[in-house]
Amino acid sequence: MRALALTDCALADVDQHGHLRYVPDGVVYVDGGRIVFAGPRAEAPRPPGTYRAIVLDGRLVTPSLVDCHTHLIYAGNRLGDFLAQRDGHDERFQFGGILETVEATTRASADVLEALARRRLDEMADHGVGAVEVKSGYGLSLDGERRILEIARGLSGYRGVEVVTTFLGAHALPREYAGRPGAYIKLLTDTVMPVLASEGLIDMVDCFIDPQGFSSEVIAPYLARAKELGLPVRAHVDQFGPAQGAELAIDYGARSIDHLEYLSATALARAQGAGTIAVLLPFAYLHKSLPAMPPVEGLRTHRISMAVATDLNPGTSPTASLLLAAYLSITLYGLRPAEAFGGITRRAAESLGLVDRGSLDVGNRADLAIWEVDHPYELVSTVFDRHSDRLSQMVERVDGAQASLT
């Protein structure tokens, strides 16, 4: 990317302490694809060399959004699960939980899965997302998990979106291992995880520690194996009931603990100072009508940073709208607008180890979203559909217009 000066714009991000930084009259200088200045126009130094100016007519510039928890690659739907929860089982629709999605995904070709995933990424990119975490977990075998992770790897860079891959082999128990969770986890730890890691397909490792998933005792060797392989850990924990999942994940240095509806006081205390991000997933909470919600005030008290994500999946969160997830985190959970905005930018990036994204800090990638709003809180405190420009797309249009004139 050539040297650029974005002018006549407002700027917004959150700082490392979670405080909103809003500049109503700002300038951004970009050189070599990196931010070299972002701040008030009155304080902007004279740019060295030649910078091409792009006038934004008062629009808002933010970091591109980061969706740090998705199950992007799947086939089928779980309408039967939803209807059964509301009205009782309807025989016109299948009812089978995660394993139903595993079967539908296994039946679909790789081309179909990729096309479905690209369609979902299109929606995300249109709404300002520049990085997304993509989990496996709908394969539950070496070949099945490999196929999902290979598709995810191939999607990175599509529409300018960076993909972080997460191995979620411990998502559910395959039918052939019914009653033998320990044997399945041994397969994952002895064979599946190390093979996929050696093939360069895994950035992180995830698991489902929950009364409806795996117990802490069964999962412990899985997390130990991830640590041996040098793979960062994250975990779905304590969503449908207490399972001491957060405590175990934190003991293994988890980058994030996700869901958290039944997070214990012990886990809150253990997470303080550990650097683990709490990822809130309000769509799943709403979709499942859960009786408990994450202890947001306890997370604040213990100074545990909070991210917000879609949890895009066909069963409990069939949506790709990160902005709406942020809105729900405010209206359902009571997050403050700055927490919700930071939760889909800086904190989400931190949970994925993306140290040069999520803020307008000097040196960060110039992966920017440009919005037709007056204030950043409009992004997270309204339910209006907000589309964004990405800086790279805007530059392409400017270049194209100039080429057409010459």
Side-chain angles (χ1 to χ4, degrees):
M1 183 183 295
R2 68 182 67 181
L4 302 170
L6 308 184
T7 67
D8 188 18
C9 57
L11 312 177
D13 67 355
V14 298
D15 66 18
Q16 61 182 335
H17 304 294
H19 301 137
L20 178 69
R21 299 189 291 198
Y22 175 59
V23 179
D25 183 13
V27 173
V28 181
Y29 295 150
V30 175
D31 198 355
R34 299 277 171 175
I35 298 170
V36 296
F37 176 82
R41 180 169 61 90
E43 299 175 11
R46 190 175 188 86
T50 302
Y51 275 65
R52 185 181 54 166
I54 298 181
V55 180
L56 295 180
D57 300 319
R59 283 179 280 189
L60 176 70
V61 177
T62 73
S64 290
L65 310 183
V66 178
D67 195 339
C68 64
H69 183 130
T70 85
H71 305 255
L72 181 83
I73 299 171
Y74 63 85
N77 63 66
R78 299 240 289 282
L79 183 59
D81 290 6
F82 180 75
L83 294 176
Q85 179 181 327
R86 296 303 191 273
D87 305 318
H89 182 46
D90 187 328
E91 292 184 357
R92 293 173 296 175
F93 301 96
Q94 286 186 294
F95 175 73
I98 292 171
L99 295 183
E100 179 188 331
T101 300
V102 171
E103 291 164 2
T105 302
T106 300
R107 289 192 300 268
S109 70
D111 287 345
V112 166
L113 292 175
E114 181 178 342
L116 290 169
R118 285 181 184 273
R119 189 182 309 164
R120 294 164 193 144
L121 277 179
D122 281 333
E123 181 179 351
M124 291 176 167
D126 287 344
H127 290 81
V129 172
V132 61
E133 185 252 18
V134 177
K135 302 179 190 296
S136 65
Y138 292 136
L140 306 189
S141 68
L142 176 58
D143 290 341
E145 294 289 287
R146 175 190 282 127
R147 186 170 70 143
I148 292 171
L149 292 168
E150 286 177 341
I151 293 169
R153 275 281 188 255
L155 291 170
S156 198
Y158 175 68
R159 294 288 306 273
V161 177
E162 181 174 351
V163 171
V164 176
T165 60
T166 297
F167 172 64
L168 180 56
H171 193 196
L173 193 62
R175 299 190 196 283
E176 61 269 28
Y177 282 90
R180 299 186 296 131
Y184 177 60
I185 294 301
K186 181 173 174 55
L187 170 71
L188 297 178
T189 57
D190 290 355
T191 303
V192 181
M193 190 193 303
V195 168
L196 297 180
S198 72
E199 294 172 355
L201 294 174
I202 303 175
D203 294 323
M204 292 182 293
V205 169
D206 198 346
C207 56
F208 184 28
I209 313 172
D210 191 89
Q212 295 191 20
F214 296 90
S215 71
S216 295
E217 293 77 15
V218 168
I219 281 291
Y222 177 91
L223 295 181
R225 186 62 165 144
K227 185 174 182 179
E228 289 173 3
L229 293 170
L231 297 169
V233 165
R234 56 198 301 119
H236 296 56
V237 298
D238 308 324
Q239 179 184 9
F240 297 105
Q244 295 77 52
E247 293 93 323
L248 179 68
I250 292 164
D251 285 346
Y252 281 95
R255 278 188 178 163
S256 79
I257 47 176
D258 304 31
H259 287 293
L260 313 179
E261 278 78 4
Y262 289 89
L263 189 69
S264 71
T266 301
L268 280 170
R270 195 169 297 182
Q272 184 167 348
T276 301
I277 306 290
V279 178
L280 307 182
L281 306 168
F283 278 122
Y285 164 83
L286 183 65
H287 195 82
K288 297 299 290 182
S289 301
L290 296 174
M293 68 171 60
V296 167
E297 195 54 48
L299 293 167
R300 287 189 187 121
T301 299
H302 288 83
R303 300 187 294 281
I304 300 163
S305 297
M306 292 176 279
V308 178
T310 61
D311 192 18
L312 168 62
N313 75 82
T316 62
S317 187
T319 179
S321 179
L322 186 56
L323 289 177
L324 185 51
Y327 167 79
L328 290 176
S329 76
I330 294 172
T331 58
L332 296 177
Y333 294 160
L335 261 65
R336 300 168 185 132
E339 290 172 326
F341 177 51
I344 58 176
T345 53
R346 181 184 284 269
R347 300 313 185 200
E350 289 172 350
S351 79
L352 299 180
L354 299 177
V355 297
D356 60 353
R357 286 182 183 265
S359 75
L360 301 180
D361 292 344
V362 170
N364 273 11
R365 296 187 191 191
D367 187 5
L368 308 176
I370 301 164
W371 310 87
E372 296 273 1
V373 300
D374 295 322
H375 193 278
Y377 288 173
E378 289 185 61
L379 299 176
V380 297
S381 61
T382 69
V383 294
F384 297 111
D385 193 22
R386 299 289 188 189
H387 284 68
S388 79
D389 265 313
R390 298 282 296 288
L391 177 59
S392 58
Q393 295 162 345
M394 178 168 285
V395 171
E396 287 171 6
R397 284 205 304 275
V398 171
D399 284 346
Q402 290 179 345
S404 67
L405 293 173
T406 57

PDB file of all heavy atoms in Angstrom, residues 76-102:
ATOM      1  N   GLY A  76     -25.773 -27.351   6.200  1.00  0.00           N
ATOM      2  CA  GLY A  76     -27.043 -27.659   6.857  1.00  0.00           C
ATOM      3  C   GLY A  76     -27.471 -26.580   7.827  1.00  0.00           C
ATOM      4  O   GLY A  76     -26.871 -25.507   7.916  1.00  0.00           O
ATOM      5  N   ASN A  77     -28.554 -26.871   8.532  1.00  0.00           N
ATOM      6  CA  ASN A  77     -29.050 -25.971   9.564  1.00  0.00           C
ATOM      7  C   ASN A  77     -29.556 -26.816  10.727  1.00  0.00           C
ATOM      8  O   ASN A  77     -29.596 -28.047  10.633  1.00  0.00           O
ATOM      9  CB  ASN A  77     -30.167 -25.065   9.028  1.00  0.00           C
ATOM     10  CG  ASN A  77     -31.377 -25.867   8.595  1.00  0.00           C
ATOM     11  OD1 ASN A  77     -32.060 -26.500   9.415  1.00  0.00           O
ATOM     12  ND2 ASN A  77     -31.677 -25.858   7.305  1.00  0.00           N
ATOM     13  N   ARG A  78     -29.918 -26.169  11.801  1.00  0.00           N
ATOM     14  CA  ARG A  78     -30.442 -26.916  12.946  1.00  0.00           C
ATOM     15  C   ARG A  78     -31.799 -26.332  13.355  1.00  0.00           C
ATOM     16  O   ARG A  78     -32.080 -26.111  14.537  1.00  0.00           O
ATOM     17  CB  ARG A  78     -29.446 -26.892  14.103  1.00  0.00           C
ATOM     18  CG  ARG A  78     -28.112 -27.545  13.737  1.00  0.00           C
ATOM     19  CD  ARG A  78     -27.785 -28.721  14.605  1.00  0.00           C
ATOM     20  NE  ARG A  78     -27.445 -28.300  15.932  1.00  0.00           N
ATOM     21  CZ  ARG A  78     -26.269 -27.791  16.308  1.00  0.00           C
ATOM     22  NH1 ARG A  78     -25.296 -27.647  15.416  1.00  0.00           N
ATOM     23  NH2 ARG A  78     -26.042 -27.443  17.554  1.00  0.00           N
ATOM     24  N   LEU A  79     -32.623 -26.082  12.352  1.00  0.00           N
ATOM     25  CA  LEU A  79     -33.948 -25.555  12.621  1.00  0.00           C
ATOM     26  C   LEU A  79     -34.744 -26.500  13.511  1.00  0.00           C
ATOM     27  O   LEU A  79     -35.517 -26.056  14.372  1.00  0.00           O
ATOM     28  CB  LEU A  79     -34.690 -25.304  11.301  1.00  0.00           C
ATOM     29  CG  LEU A  79     -36.077 -24.686  11.396  1.00  0.00           C
ATOM     30  CD1 LEU A  79     -36.031 -23.336  12.098  1.00  0.00           C
ATOM     31  CD2 LEU A  79     -36.687 -24.536  10.005  1.00  0.00           C
ATOM     32  N   GLY A  80     -34.528 -27.806  13.323  1.00  0.00           N
ATOM     33  CA  GLY A  80     -35.235 -28.775  14.163  1.00  0.00           C
ATOM     34  C   GLY A  80     -34.930 -28.612  15.633  1.00  0.00           C
ATOM     35  O   GLY A  80     -35.825 -28.726  16.484  1.00  0.00           O
ATOM     36  N   ASP A  81     -33.663 -28.315  15.958  1.00  0.00           N
ATOM     37  CA  ASP A  81     -33.291 -28.088  17.351  1.00  0.00           C
ATOM     38  C   ASP A  81     -34.025 -26.876  17.917  1.00  0.00           C
ATOM     39  O   ASP A  81     -34.537 -26.897  19.034  1.00  0.00           O
ATOM     40  CB  ASP A  81     -31.782 -27.851  17.459  1.00  0.00           C
ATOM     41  CG  ASP A  81     -30.960 -29.094  17.194  1.00  0.00           C
ATOM     42  OD1 ASP A  81     -31.546 -30.123  16.821  1.00  0.00           O
ATOM     43  OD2 ASP A  81     -29.733 -29.032  17.358  1.00  0.00           O
ATOM     44  N   PHE A  82     -34.074 -25.813  17.112  1.00  0.00           N
ATOM     45  CA  PHE A  82     -34.708 -24.576  17.572  1.00  0.00           C
ATOM     46  C   PHE A  82     -36.207 -24.775  17.796  1.00  0.00           C
ATOM     47  O   PHE A  82     -36.771 -24.366  18.816  1.00  0.00           O
ATOM     48  CB  PHE A  82     -34.463 -23.473  16.547  1.00  0.00           C
ATOM     49  CG  PHE A  82     -35.066 -22.154  16.918  1.00  0.00           C
ATOM     50  CD1 PHE A  82     -34.492 -21.357  17.891  1.00  0.00           C
ATOM     51  CD2 PHE A  82     -36.201 -21.696  16.276  1.00  0.00           C
ATOM     52  CE1 PHE A  82     -35.029 -20.135  18.230  1.00  0.00           C
ATOM     53  CE2 PHE A  82     -36.761 -20.472  16.611  1.00  0.00           C
ATOM     54  CZ  PHE A  82     -36.167 -19.688  17.586  1.00  0.00           C
ATOM     55  N   LEU A  83     -36.869 -25.446  16.840  1.00  0.00           N
ATOM     56  CA  LEU A  83     -38.309 -25.660  16.972  1.00  0.00           C
ATOM     57  C   LEU A  83     -38.624 -26.575  18.140  1.00  0.00           C
ATOM     58  O   LEU A  83     -39.619 -26.372  18.849  1.00  0.00           O
ATOM     59  CB  LEU A  83     -38.869 -26.236  15.671  1.00  0.00           C
ATOM     60  CG  LEU A  83     -38.799 -25.301  14.451  1.00  0.00           C
ATOM     61  CD1 LEU A  83     -39.286 -26.018  13.213  1.00  0.00           C
ATOM     62  CD2 LEU A  83     -39.594 -24.035  14.702  1.00  0.00           C
ATOM     63  N   ALA A  84     -37.794 -27.589  18.354  1.00  0.00           N
ATOM     64  CA  ALA A  84     -38.028 -28.492  19.480  1.00  0.00           C
ATOM     65  C   ALA A  84     -37.927 -27.759  20.805  1.00  0.00           C
ATOM     66  O   ALA A  84     -38.678 -28.034  21.751  1.00  0.00           O
ATOM     67  CB  ALA A  84     -37.030 -29.646  19.424  1.00  0.00           C
ATOM     68  N   GLN A  85     -36.989 -26.820  20.867  1.00  0.00           N
ATOM     69  CA  GLN A  85     -36.822 -26.051  22.099  1.00  0.00           C
ATOM     70  C   GLN A  85     -38.042 -25.178  22.371  1.00  0.00           C
ATOM     71  O   GLN A  85     -38.440 -24.966  23.519  1.00  0.00           O
ATOM     72  CB  GLN A  85     -35.578 -25.168  21.964  1.00  0.00           C
ATOM     73  CG  GLN A  85     -35.283 -24.287  23.177  1.00  0.00           C
ATOM     74  CD  GLN A  85     -34.044 -23.438  22.953  1.00  0.00           C
ATOM     75  OE1 GLN A  85     -33.106 -23.858  22.288  1.00  0.00           O
ATOM     76  NE2 GLN A  85     -34.034 -22.245  23.488  1.00  0.00           N
ATOM     77  N   ARG A  86     -38.684 -24.690  21.297  1.00  0.00           N
ATOM     78  CA  ARG A  86     -39.808 -23.775  21.455  1.00  0.00           C
ATOM     79  C   ARG A  86     -41.159 -24.488  21.493  1.00  0.00           C
ATOM     80  O   ARG A  86     -42.027 -24.155  22.276  1.00  0.00           O
ATOM     81  CB  ARG A  86     -39.832 -22.755  20.293  1.00  0.00           C
ATOM     82  CG  ARG A  86     -38.615 -21.830  20.239  1.00  0.00           C
ATOM     83  CD  ARG A  86     -38.432 -21.053  21.551  1.00  0.00           C
ATOM     84  NE  ARG A  86     -37.454 -19.986  21.450  1.00  0.00           N
ATOM     85  CZ  ARG A  86     -36.159 -20.130  21.631  1.00  0.00           C
ATOM     86  NH1 ARG A  86     -35.667 -21.319  21.880  1.00  0.00           N
ATOM     87  NH2 ARG A  86     -35.345 -19.093  21.577  1.00  0.00           N
ATOM     88  N   ASP A  87     -41.357 -25.456  20.593  1.00  0.00           N
ATOM     89  CA  ASP A  87     -42.694 -26.007  20.374  1.00  0.00           C
ATOM     90  C   ASP A  87     -42.795 -27.522  20.526  1.00  0.00           C
ATOM     91  O   ASP A  87     -43.868 -28.085  20.307  1.00  0.00           O
ATOM     92  CB  ASP A  87     -43.169 -25.649  18.955  1.00  0.00           C
ATOM     93  CG  ASP A  87     -43.131 -24.163  18.689  1.00  0.00           C
ATOM     94  OD1 ASP A  87     -43.532 -23.397  19.583  1.00  0.00           O
ATOM     95  OD2 ASP A  87     -42.697 -23.766  17.594  1.00  0.00           O
ATOM     96  N   GLY A  88     -41.688 -28.178  20.832  1.00  0.00           N
ATOM     97  CA  GLY A  88     -41.706 -29.633  20.799  1.00  0.00           C
ATOM     98  C   GLY A  88     -41.247 -30.117  19.438  1.00  0.00           C
ATOM     99  O   GLY A  88     -41.310 -29.394  18.435  1.00  0.00           O
ATOM    100  N   HIS A  89     -40.757 -31.330  19.376  1.00  0.00           N
ATOM    101  CA  HIS A  89     -40.145 -31.860  18.157  1.00  0.00           C
ATOM    102  C   HIS A  89     -41.137 -31.884  17.000  1.00  0.00           C
ATOM    103  O   HIS A  89     -42.256 -32.356  17.122  1.00  0.00           O
ATOM    104  CB  HIS A  89     -39.610 -33.269  18.421  1.00  0.00           C
ATOM    105  CG  HIS A  89     -38.912 -33.880  17.240  1.00  0.00           C
ATOM    106  ND1 HIS A  89     -37.983 -33.186  16.498  1.00  0.00           N
ATOM    107  CD2 HIS A  89     -39.024 -35.104  16.660  1.00  0.00           C
ATOM    108  CE1 HIS A  89     -37.532 -33.968  15.523  1.00  0.00           C
ATOM    109  NE2 HIS A  89     -38.154 -35.123  15.602  1.00  0.00           N
ATOM    110  N   ASP A  90     -40.695 -31.341  15.864  1.00  0.00           N
ATOM    111  CA  ASP A  90     -41.478 -31.341  14.630  1.00  0.00           C
ATOM    112  C   ASP A  90     -40.843 -32.361  13.697  1.00  0.00           C
ATOM    113  O   ASP A  90     -39.695 -32.213  13.295  1.00  0.00           O
ATOM    114  CB  ASP A  90     -41.452 -29.941  14.015  1.00  0.00           C
ATOM    115  CG  ASP A  90     -42.372 -29.803  12.814  1.00  0.00           C
ATOM    116  OD1 ASP A  90     -42.556 -30.804  12.095  1.00  0.00           O
ATOM    117  OD2 ASP A  90     -42.904 -28.704  12.602  1.00  0.00           O
ATOM    118  N   GLU A  91     -41.592 -33.400  13.333  1.00  0.00           N
ATOM    119  CA  GLU A  91     -41.010 -34.507  12.566  1.00  0.00           C
ATOM    120  C   GLU A  91     -40.588 -34.099  11.161  1.00  0.00           C
ATOM    121  O   GLU A  91     -39.892 -34.844  10.481  1.00  0.00           O
ATOM    122  CB  GLU A  91     -42.012 -35.660  12.493  1.00  0.00           C
ATOM    123  CG  GLU A  91     -42.238 -36.327  13.843  1.00  0.00           C
ATOM    124  CD  GLU A  91     -43.154 -37.530  13.756  1.00  0.00           C
ATOM    125  OE1 GLU A  91     -43.660 -37.798  12.648  1.00  0.00           O
ATOM    126  OE2 GLU A  91     -43.337 -38.202  14.786  1.00  0.00           O
ATOM    127  N   ARG A  92     -40.996 -32.915  10.708  1.00  0.00           N
ATOM    128  CA  ARG A  92     -40.563 -32.453   9.386  1.00  0.00           C
ATOM    129  C   ARG A  92     -39.113 -32.002   9.387  1.00  0.00           C
ATOM    130  O   ARG A  92     -38.511 -31.817   8.333  1.00  0.00           O
ATOM    131  CB  ARG A  92     -41.446 -31.286   8.930  1.00  0.00           C
ATOM    132  CG  ARG A  92     -42.900 -31.669   8.648  1.00  0.00           C
ATOM    133  CD  ARG A  92     -43.724 -30.423   8.377  1.00  0.00           C
ATOM    134  NE  ARG A  92     -43.780 -29.556   9.552  1.00  0.00           N
ATOM    135  CZ  ARG A  92     -44.362 -28.356   9.550  1.00  0.00           C
ATOM    136  NH1 ARG A  92     -44.906 -27.880   8.450  1.00  0.00           N
ATOM    137  NH2 ARG A  92     -44.382 -27.628  10.659  1.00  0.00           N
ATOM    138  N   PHE A  93     -38.546 -31.811  10.573  1.00  0.00           N
ATOM    139  CA  PHE A  93     -37.176 -31.301  10.682  1.00  0.00           C
ATOM    140  C   PHE A  93     -36.337 -32.243  11.529  1.00  0.00           C
ATOM    141  O   PHE A  93     -36.812 -32.818  12.507  1.00  0.00           O
ATOM    142  CB  PHE A  93     -37.183 -29.907  11.325  1.00  0.00           C
ATOM    143  CG  PHE A  93     -37.987 -28.893  10.566  1.00  0.00           C
ATOM    144  CD1 PHE A  93     -39.298 -28.632  10.929  1.00  0.00           C
ATOM    145  CD2 PHE A  93     -37.435 -28.213   9.490  1.00  0.00           C
ATOM    146  CE1 PHE A  93     -40.046 -27.697  10.231  1.00  0.00           C
ATOM    147  CE2 PHE A  93     -38.177 -27.272   8.797  1.00  0.00           C
ATOM    148  CZ  PHE A  93     -39.480 -27.016   9.160  1.00  0.00           C
ATOM    149  N   GLN A  94     -35.059 -32.365  11.141  1.00  0.00           N
ATOM    150  CA  GLN A  94     -34.136 -33.177  11.919  1.00  0.00           C
ATOM    151  C   GLN A  94     -33.852 -32.527  13.272  1.00  0.00           C
ATOM    152  O   GLN A  94     -33.939 -31.317  13.422  1.00  0.00           O
ATOM    153  CB  GLN A  94     -32.819 -33.358  11.170  1.00  0.00           C
ATOM    154  CG  GLN A  94     -32.898 -34.319   9.994  1.00  0.00           C
ATOM    155  CD  GLN A  94     -31.528 -34.562   9.403  1.00  0.00           C
ATOM    156  OE1 GLN A  94     -30.914 -33.658   8.851  1.00  0.00           O
ATOM    157  NE2 GLN A  94     -31.045 -35.777   9.529  1.00  0.00           N
ATOM    158  N   PHE A  95     -33.509 -33.362  14.230  1.00  0.00           N
ATOM    159  CA  PHE A  95     -33.206 -32.882  15.579  1.00  0.00           C
ATOM    160  C   PHE A  95     -32.026 -33.693  16.079  1.00  0.00           C
ATOM    161  O   PHE A  95     -32.155 -34.878  16.343  1.00  0.00           O
ATOM    162  CB  PHE A  95     -34.428 -33.083  16.488  1.00  0.00           C
ATOM    163  CG  PHE A  95     -34.183 -32.740  17.934  1.00  0.00           C
ATOM    164  CD1 PHE A  95     -34.059 -31.432  18.329  1.00  0.00           C
ATOM    165  CD2 PHE A  95     -34.070 -33.744  18.881  1.00  0.00           C
ATOM    166  CE1 PHE A  95     -33.832 -31.109  19.664  1.00  0.00           C
ATOM    167  CE2 PHE A  95     -33.845 -33.439  20.220  1.00  0.00           C
ATOM    168  CZ  PHE A  95     -33.730 -32.119  20.607  1.00  0.00           C
ATOM    169  N   GLY A  96     -30.827 -33.061  16.131  1.00  0.00           N
ATOM    170  CA  GLY A  96     -29.686 -33.892  16.461  1.00  0.00           C
ATOM    171  C   GLY A  96     -28.479 -33.187  17.024  1.00  0.00           C
ATOM    172  O   GLY A  96     -27.414 -33.795  17.167  1.00  0.00           O
ATOM    173  N   GLY A  97     -28.569 -31.891  17.317  1.00  0.00           N
ATOM    174  CA  GLY A  97     -27.455 -31.203  17.933  1.00  0.00           C
ATOM    175  C   GLY A  97     -26.227 -31.145  17.051  1.00  0.00           C
ATOM    176  O   GLY A  97     -26.301 -31.216  15.814  1.00  0.00           O
ATOM    177  N   ILE A  98     -25.064 -31.028  17.685  1.00  0.00           N
ATOM    178  CA  ILE A  98     -23.803 -30.876  16.966  1.00  0.00           C
ATOM    179  C   ILE A  98     -23.580 -32.023  15.992  1.00  0.00           C
ATOM    180  O   ILE A  98     -23.098 -31.813  14.864  1.00  0.00           O
ATOM    181  CB  ILE A  98     -22.629 -30.772  17.967  1.00  0.00           C
ATOM    182  CG1 ILE A  98     -22.713 -29.456  18.750  1.00  0.00           C
ATOM    183  CG2 ILE A  98     -21.276 -30.880  17.259  1.00  0.00           C
ATOM    184  CD1 ILE A  98     -21.737 -29.360  19.900  1.00  0.00           C
ATOM    185  N   LEU A  99     -23.937 -33.228  16.382  1.00  0.00           N
ATOM    186  CA  LEU A  99     -23.678 -34.377  15.510  1.00  0.00           C
ATOM    187  C   LEU A  99     -24.480 -34.305  14.217  1.00  0.00           C
ATOM    188  O   LEU A  99     -24.045 -34.830  13.183  1.00  0.00           O
ATOM    189  CB  LEU A  99     -23.960 -35.681  16.253  1.00  0.00           C
ATOM    190  CG  LEU A  99     -23.043 -35.971  17.440  1.00  0.00           C
ATOM    191  CD1 LEU A  99     -23.366 -37.325  18.058  1.00  0.00           C
ATOM    192  CD2 LEU A  99     -21.567 -35.906  17.037  1.00  0.00           C
ATOM    193  N   GLU A 100     -25.626 -33.667  14.244  1.00  0.00           N
ATOM    194  CA  GLU A 100     -26.370 -33.460  13.001  1.00  0.00           C
ATOM    195  C   GLU A 100     -25.573 -32.580  12.039  1.00  0.00           C
ATOM    196  O   GLU A 100     -25.499 -32.850  10.833  1.00  0.00           O
ATOM    197  CB  GLU A 100     -27.724 -32.812  13.290  1.00  0.00           C
ATOM    198  CG  GLU A 100     -28.540 -32.551  12.025  1.00  0.00           C
ATOM    199  CD  GLU A 100     -29.779 -31.735  12.288  1.00  0.00           C
ATOM    200  OE1 GLU A 100     -30.324 -31.805  13.404  1.00  0.00           O
ATOM    201  OE2 GLU A 100     -30.203 -31.012  11.362  1.00  0.00           O
ATOM    202  N   THR A 101     -24.943 -31.528  12.574  1.00  0.00           N
ATOM    203  CA  THR A 101     -24.121 -30.657  11.735  1.00  0.00           C
ATOM    204  C   THR A 101     -22.873 -31.389  11.255  1.00  0.00           C
ATOM    205  O   THR A 101     -22.427 -31.197  10.120  1.00  0.00           O
ATOM    206  CB  THR A 101     -23.735 -29.384  12.498  1.00  0.00           C
ATOM    207  OG1 THR A 101     -24.928 -28.695  12.869  1.00  0.00           O
ATOM    208  CG2 THR A 101     -22.877 -28.463  11.645  1.00  0.00           C
ATOM    209  N   VAL A 102     -22.296 -32.232  12.107  1.00  0.00           N
ATOM    210  CA  VAL A 102     -21.149 -33.039  11.676  1.00  0.00           C
ATOM    211  C   VAL A 102     -21.530 -33.883  10.463  1.00  0.00           C
ATOM    212  O   VAL A 102     -20.787 -33.945   9.467  1.00  0.00           O
ATOM    213  CB  VAL A 102     -20.640 -33.931  12.832  1.00  0.00           C
ATOM    214  CG1 VAL A 102     -19.595 -34.923  12.328  1.00  0.00           C
ATOM    215  CG2 VAL A 102     -20.063 -33.073  13.953  1.00  0.00           C
TER     216      VAL A 102
END
